[in-house]
Amino acid sequence: MKQTEREKRFLSAGLILALSLSSFTTPSTQAAAKKIRLSKSTLSLKTGKSAKLQLKNVSEKKRVKIKWTTSNKKVVSIVVNKKNKSIVTLKAKKKGKATITAKLSGKKYKCKVTVKNSGNATKTTATPTAAQTEKPTAAPSEKPTPTPQIIYVEVTPEPTETPSVSPAATVPTGNLTYQSDVTAEMTKASYWAELCDEPDKVLIDAEGIEKANQRIVKTPETYMCDLLNQEETYNATTRKQNLAKAIDDDIKNSRLKAANGNYKEVFLDGEKLNDNDIEAFCEELKANILAANTEEEATVKYGLCTKASELKMAPVSGFVGFSATDTDEEFTDSRLNVNEPVIIEAVTGDGKFYWGKTTNCSGWIRSDCVAICDSKEEWKDMWTKTGEDILVVTSDSITLAPSVYDETVSKIELSFATVLPLVPEDEMPGTVDDRGTWYNYVVYIPTRDENGKFVRKMALISMNNKVSIGYLPFTKRNVLEVAFSCLGNRYGWGGMYGLMDCSLYTRDIYKCFGFELARNTSWQRAMPVGNIDLEGMDDKEKREAIDSCEPGTLLMFKGHITMYIGSVNGKQYVISDTGSMAETEEAEPELDVQKKFSVCINTLDVRRGNGTTWLSNLLWAGCPWMEE
């Protein structure tokens, strides 16, 4: 949800729409979107398992007229969804074959179902393609590859089928509450995956993601940084002077001032600052920056984050807010995960903060959260590995076990989308931290010694955690599973407290697949990806455009970015890390905007503070896995 005054729109609406409509959906898929059809024409199930079947593209008025039948209810039984009769749940009863028929307006739509005995066969996986198994070739040190090749390794479990009984009865709700258009079954990623065509088809391979990352990083409006190809020497004195000047330009005269030129109400750790206090506060920041010893020709330092850390626009330890109870730390720009790389080009006089560049943002980070490597090669070796050499955290977060031997690895929090190198088998010890390695992944963790130098250590991650060996294959099901793993999590402006805001959430979802997206909403809009310019469309046109999109598509309006997950009963649903909203006018006619500050599912009919819907405010839809 972060914004910046440097953002510029660089494409005309007409050109974007013309390009996107031709690349985003082909003529055949546009025609298919209007044609009534079954979501599946053939289906294979094991006894005792269930699956959903939908007669797609049927208007709400006609859905009640659909008649569902099974040719052999002893083989496959059906349960019609009471709220949406275009959807049925199939239950495999015994081995055999059956035909499921949906009859509407005299026409029949059939799905042939084959039921096999479940047995006790061991699950096997398809033989990986060459692109999935080929080991990456290390690039020469003098010619580093901007974006390492990604190797996919399928580790996600086989999706659990939905039981044939009433969905509301199978999903315990307790005292959970949802947006009015959301049901309990909709809180499961599997519900949305079953509505997709080919949910397990890989939409983009390793080479495609690498090319997408290169296009994104080379687009100036995304403000991305190609860390591997940065100059190794720079003028540290000039850098210091420019950072001190930025305190006046970007902080005192911009961030802390209102449009009328007067200072806003500013609070530091809950205490209100008057105008003189604000000016003194800014002068202290500048003085701390200028107090550092510098050289006109210096060499960059290569750092790795040792804990989830905030990246700030100023070297401030306290909490800066615009009210005594502000929940947004106004100087936080982003969050860095454990093992994220950073190039250091400045340090404060007191040594408590480094200023550096990351892949998607630059800013100030606490120095005690960064380990400095002895060489660029040592630094690269920790974060440029791919394929079977890495472990990716694909849900919420993981906390390492407490250690009585080494506090540097004790209870370290590995945030969503953290990427760590796996310890090669020939380097694995029998024990780590006096624990055997059975049933655990053994990873390398960056730590700091007493001088702030990088020390590589081993740690264990138990196999019951949801992780991926290698980046996840980019499928609709996997995108939904990853996004839903954070449902209900706390919102954090800019990434404060190790949390996520809206654009960091979408970035981290895509990071689990190997993508490197831009950091902020408008920067993400500037990415050279498959897109539709929604600006200027009416609501009907926007609905039609969104209905042509796939789950995982990013939808953006000014101040917020969200992710499309599917349409039900003519309503478009999204998931996002959001701040506030008001219910739909249908559910609550009176406008009542409430703070949510969580990852939420909702329809695009919810409203903003001015009473307009999210749908009417949408400006852009983007597919990072497609070219513009």
Side-chain angles (χ1 to χ4, degrees):
M1 192 172 287
K2 302 289 289 181
Q3 296 292 306
T4 175
E5 293 181 2
R6 297 176 294 178
E7 301 162 350
K8 298 179 180 179
R9 288 162 48 191
F10 68 97
L11 293 173
S12 70
L15 179 58
I16 297 177
L17 182 57
L19 289 172
S20 61
L21 289 178
S22 62
S23 61
F24 212 71
T25 56
T26 63
S28 61
T29 58
Q30 288 175 333
K34 298 180 181 179
K35 184 178 180 181
I36 296 177
R37 58 189 175 85
L38 283 174
S39 56
K40 296 179 179 68
S41 59
T42 60
L43 190 61
S44 179
L45 290 173
K46 291 183 178 180
T47 54
K49 296 295 184 179
S50 302
K52 287 186 179 179
L53 187 64
Q54 183 181 19
L55 189 61
K56 306 189 79 172
N57 306 314
V58 180
S59 67
E60 192 168 357
K61 290 182 179 180
K62 288 187 176 181
R63 287 172 190 161
V64 295
K65 298 180 181 180
I66 301 172
K67 291 185 179 181
W68 291 93
T69 57
T70 173
S71 65
N72 193 337
K73 61 183 179 182
K74 291 183 179 180
V75 174
V76 180
S77 64
I78 59 175
V79 176
V80 180
N81 188 305
K82 293 181 179 180
K83 292 185 177 180
N84 182 355
K85 291 189 176 182
S86 70
I87 301 174
V88 293
T89 301
L90 312 182
K91 177 66 178 292
K93 308 288 284 186
K94 70 174 186 177
K95 183 178 178 180
K97 294 185 178 181
T99 299
I100 308 302
T101 303
K103 186 176 180 181
L104 177 64
S105 302
K107 292 186 178 181
K108 295 180 180 180
Y109 305 85
K110 297 182 179 183
C111 174
K112 295 181 180 181
V113 182
T114 301
V115 178
K116 301 177 181 179
N117 287 331
S118 57
N120 295 310
T122 302
K123 179 186 173 184
T124 60
T125 55
T127 303
T129 64
Q132 293 172 318
T133 59
E134 183 184 357
K135 288 285 186 180
T137 302
S141 59
E142 66 272 13
K143 293 182 180 180
T145 304
T147 307
Q149 182 178 349
I150 299 159
I151 297 179
Y152 294 120
V153 182
E154 177 65 77
V155 297
T156 50
E158 185 173 322
T160 302
E161 299 288 357
T162 305
S164 60
V165 295
S166 170
T170 65
V171 185
T173 58
N175 61 359
L176 290 173
T177 56
Y178 317 123
Q179 192 254 322
S180 62
D181 290 312
V182 176
T183 63
E185 63 179 339
M186 290 180 180
T187 64
K188 303 299 180 183
S190 57
Y191 172 91
W192 300 98
E194 289 304 316
L195 296 182
C196 298
D197 292 327
E198 300 182 295
D200 299 305
K201 178 182 177 180
V202 176
L203 301 177
I204 184 172
D205 61 12
E207 183 181 359
I209 291 178
E210 181 181 2
K211 289 180 179 179
N213 289 342
Q214 290 176 353
R215 290 195 304 270
I216 292 170
V217 78
K218 290 177 181 178
T219 301
E221 291 82 359
T222 65
Y223 297 98
M224 300 283 283
C225 181
D226 182 0
L227 292 184
L228 291 174
N229 290 313
Q230 291 293 295
E231 294 288 340
E232 295 196 12
T233 59
Y234 69 106
N235 189 318
T237 299
T238 300
R239 170 66 69 196
K240 175 179 70 175
Q241 293 169 346
N242 288 339
L243 291 171
K245 184 175 183 295
I247 298 298
D248 282 335
D249 296 343
D250 300 335
I251 303 297
K252 186 172 71 172
N253 297 324
S254 179
R255 187 67 175 163
L256 301 183
K257 281 190 177 180
N260 60 11
N262 296 327
Y263 286 119
K264 301 175 184 177
E265 287 195 340
V266 178
F267 293 76
L268 180 61
D269 293 329
E271 296 293 327
K272 186 175 181 180
L273 305 181
N274 59 36
D275 288 1
N276 290 334
D277 293 334
I278 293 173
E279 293 184 3
F281 168 70
C282 292
E283 288 303 313
E284 288 177 9
L285 293 177
K286 288 168 56 180
N288 194 16
I289 294 170
L290 293 171
N293 293 322
T294 56
E295 302 171 340
E296 289 193 0
E297 186 171 346
T299 302
V300 300
K301 293 182 174 64
Y302 296 100
L304 296 165
C305 289
T306 58
K307 60 182 70 174
S309 314
E310 295 172 359
L311 195 68
K312 294 192 172 187
M313 62 178 66
V316 179
S317 298
F319 189 102
V320 178
F322 290 149
S323 73
T325 58
D326 196 344
T327 57
D328 294 341
E329 204 296 302
E330 300 296 341
F331 281 11
T332 302
D333 268 339
S334 193
R335 183 209 68 210
L336 302 179
N337 290 337
V338 171
N339 203 45
E340 280 209 54
V342 57
I343 290 180
I344 305 299
E345 293 189 5
V347 61
T348 52
D350 60 11
K352 292 183 178 181
F353 281 88
Y354 289 138
W355 184 90
K357 300 173 183 177
T358 71
T359 56
N360 64 92
C361 199
S362 61
W364 295 93
I365 184 173
R366 280 173 40 193
S367 58
D368 62 1
C369 296
V370 179
I372 303 299
C373 297
D374 285 334
S375 68
K376 184 176 183 179
E377 290 305 311
E378 181 181 58
W379 174 72
K380 284 171 54 181
D381 189 56
M382 279 295 289
W383 67 275
T384 59
K385 289 183 169 64
T386 56
E388 294 182 341
D389 295 327
I390 62 171
L391 176 146
V392 184
V393 178
T394 57
S395 67
D396 200 4
S397 64
I398 296 171
T399 302
L400 297 184
S403 172
V404 296
Y405 303 98
D406 189 350
E407 65 178 10
T408 63
V409 295
S410 182
K411 298 182 179 180
I412 294 294
E413 183 177 350
L414 305 177
S415 302
F416 178 48
T418 295
V419 181
L420 297 171
L422 284 167
V423 175
E425 290 186 11
D426 60 357
E427 296 179 19
M428 284 177 56
T431 61
V432 175
D433 199 32
D434 206 33
R435 290 174 59 199
T437 59
W438 283 5
Y439 313 110
N440 280 267
Y441 300 103
V442 188
V443 297
Y444 282 124
I445 295 283
T447 68
R448 304 173 78 246
D449 66 12
E450 63 275 10
N451 298 314
K453 292 289 187 177
F454 163 70
V455 179
R456 188 178 69 173
K457 294 185 178 179
M458 295 184 191
L460 300 179
I461 297 176
S462 60
M463 64 178 292
N464 71 321
N465 289 292
K466 194 166 184 180
V467 299
S468 173
I469 303 307
Y471 291 115
L472 283 168
F474 192 82
T475 68
K476 299 171 196 175
R477 187 188 303 278
N478 284 345
V479 170
L480 291 164
E481 290 284 355
V482 169
F484 275 63
S485 69
C486 298
L487 188 59
N489 282 9
R490 176 69 161 87
Y491 171 91
W493 172 263
M496 53 181 278
Y497 297 146
L499 302 170
M500 295 177 286
D501 60 18
C502 66
S503 52
L504 186 56
Y505 173 58
T506 54
R507 172 177 162 76
D508 282 355
I509 290 172
Y510 274 85
K511 177 70 174 178
C512 292
F513 301 92
F515 282 93
E516 288 290 349
L517 301 193
R519 173 61 185 88
N520 295 336
T521 54
S522 294
W523 299 357
Q524 289 183 6
R525 184 185 183 183
M527 296 186 302
V529 300
N531 58 75
I532 298 176
D533 192 338
L534 302 172
E535 196 167 3
M537 293 186 183
D538 60 28
D539 284 2
K540 181 181 178 181
E541 291 170 326
K542 288 180 180 179
R543 286 194 190 279
E544 291 175 351
I546 294 166
D547 279 339
S548 72
C549 298
E550 301 286 4
T553 301
L554 304 180
L555 301 175
M556 176 261 186
F557 57 81
K558 187 176 181 180
H560 190 56
I561 197 160
T562 183
M563 194 181 88
Y564 176 65
I565 59 175
S567 298
V568 177
N569 293 333
K571 294 180 180 290
Q572 289 78 27
Y573 286 77
V574 293
I575 186 169
S576 64
D577 208 339
T578 189
S580 61
M581 69 177 73
E583 260 290 4
T584 65
E585 187 174 8
E586 181 181 13
E588 294 181 8
E590 186 174 344
L591 185 67
D592 181 18
V593 178
Q594 295 185 356
K595 294 179 180 178
K596 301 303 175 187
F597 291 119
S598 297
V599 176
C600 298
I601 302 168
N602 55 271
T603 64
L604 291 174
D605 300 305
V606 298
R607 293 169 291 172
R608 306 182 72 186
N610 60 7
T612 59
T613 65
W614 281 22
L615 177 69
S616 65
N617 283 273
L618 286 177
L619 302 173
W620 173 82
C623 277
W625 68 92
M626 298 180 70
E627 292 189 40
E628 61 179 337

